[in-house]
Amino acid sequence: MLPQEHLIARVRELCHGDENLVAALTYGSFAQGEGDAHSDVEFWLFFGAEQAAVLDHRAWLDRIGPIRYVVVNEFGTHVVFFPHLIRGEFHFATADDIGSVATWPARSAPTDRMIVLDRTGALRLALDALPARPELPTRAEDVDVLCGRFANWLILAHHVAQRGELLRAVDALSHAQRYLLWMARLAEDRTEHWLTPSRRAETDLGAEAVGNLRHTVTVAEADAVAGAVAAAWACGRDYWVTLADRVGCELPRELFADLDTSTATA
């Protein structure tokens, strides 16, 4: 049994024993049946409003077991570092927030695998209202947005690299790569892990695609960044053409020409 599975079992035990908790759910790799030794443990905990107002988050987390450190991330989530560098994400919310679950893009797993506790039945209703898989960008306008956002970050990376801001260029490229992965998944009809497009990309995508995408990752050196920008455009150009042809949207050919010229001379 993996250490994460022990932690998950302990959190489940705590949830069922906490009368102030209205509902709880788990999500991520273990809920999907894909958890391994490197996976996180992830939960949403919905307390009654009065109890949530006075809840000592750290004290609740300490009941799980030994903790190395806790930090609240930029999204307000408590991130816990357990022994062996195991990460846990805990979203503390109120029962009034359960309805917002129905606005999520999709369920990350079957409802029964996600529900840890549901005293009122409201959590099941919210989860059952979600599609099993996220909506994909299949319309022309959606593909335009997806590919356009890729171009936005790629062109920023190109310009800041030309200025000599190589660390900033690498950062911009990382954003471009995320959209490029979405484009690759859509073009290759490999959308299993759509919400986190880099997840299992090496096994989801074909060997040629993975090989090409690896060339878009770089160190912050001028020639390497220029090569990564050119590689990203070569991949993105092909995927953009494929997707535009599939959905019947018009290509921005003048932009293509500008990018062809700029990446060839970078």
Side-chain angles (χ1 to χ4, degrees), residues 110-133:
T111 297
D112 286 338
R113 291 182 66 95
M114 294 182 70
I115 291 177
V116 174
L117 177 72
D118 188 15
R119 297 192 192 279
T120 66
L123 182 56
R124 179 174 294 276
L125 287 175
L127 286 170
D128 283 345
L130 294 173
R133 301 191 64 184

Side-chain angles (χ1 to χ4, degrees), residues 168-179:
R168 187 180 177 194
V170 171
D171 177 68
L173 263 175
S174 70
H175 290 280
Q177 287 154 2
R178 184 173 178 83
Y179 286 99

Side-chain angles (χ1 to χ4, degrees), residues 206-225:
E208 181 179 358
V210 171
N212 290 336
L213 289 166
R214 283 176 175 160
H215 290 301
T216 72
V217 180
T218 183
V219 295
E221 297 174 359
D223 288 345
V225 170

Side-chain angles (χ1 to χ4, degrees), residues 55-64:
L55 181 67
D56 184 334
H57 300 118
R58 179 57 193 257
W60 201 97
L61 294 169
D62 279 334
R63 295 167 62 199
I64 300 171

Side-chain angles (χ1 to χ4, degrees), residues 164-237:
E165 295 181 81
L166 298 176
L167 292 172
R168 187 180 177 194
V170 171
D171 177 68
L173 263 175
S174 70
H175 290 280
Q177 287 154 2
R178 184 173 178 83
Y179 286 99
L180 189 55
L181 279 163
W182 272 317
M183 294 163 69
R185 285 186 175 279
L186 200 59
E188 297 205 357
D189 296 316
R190 299 304 304 267
T191 57
E192 298 92 325
H193 297 104
W194 181 258
L195 294 179
T196 308
S198 59
R199 185 177 181 185
R200 298 185 183 272
E202 288 82 358
T203 52
D204 287 352
L205 298 171
E208 181 179 358
V210 171
N212 290 336
L213 289 166
R214 283 176 175 160
H215 290 301
T216 72
V217 180
T218 183
V219 295
E221 297 174 359
D223 288 345
V225 170
V229 168
W233 173 236
C235 287
R237 192 187 203 287

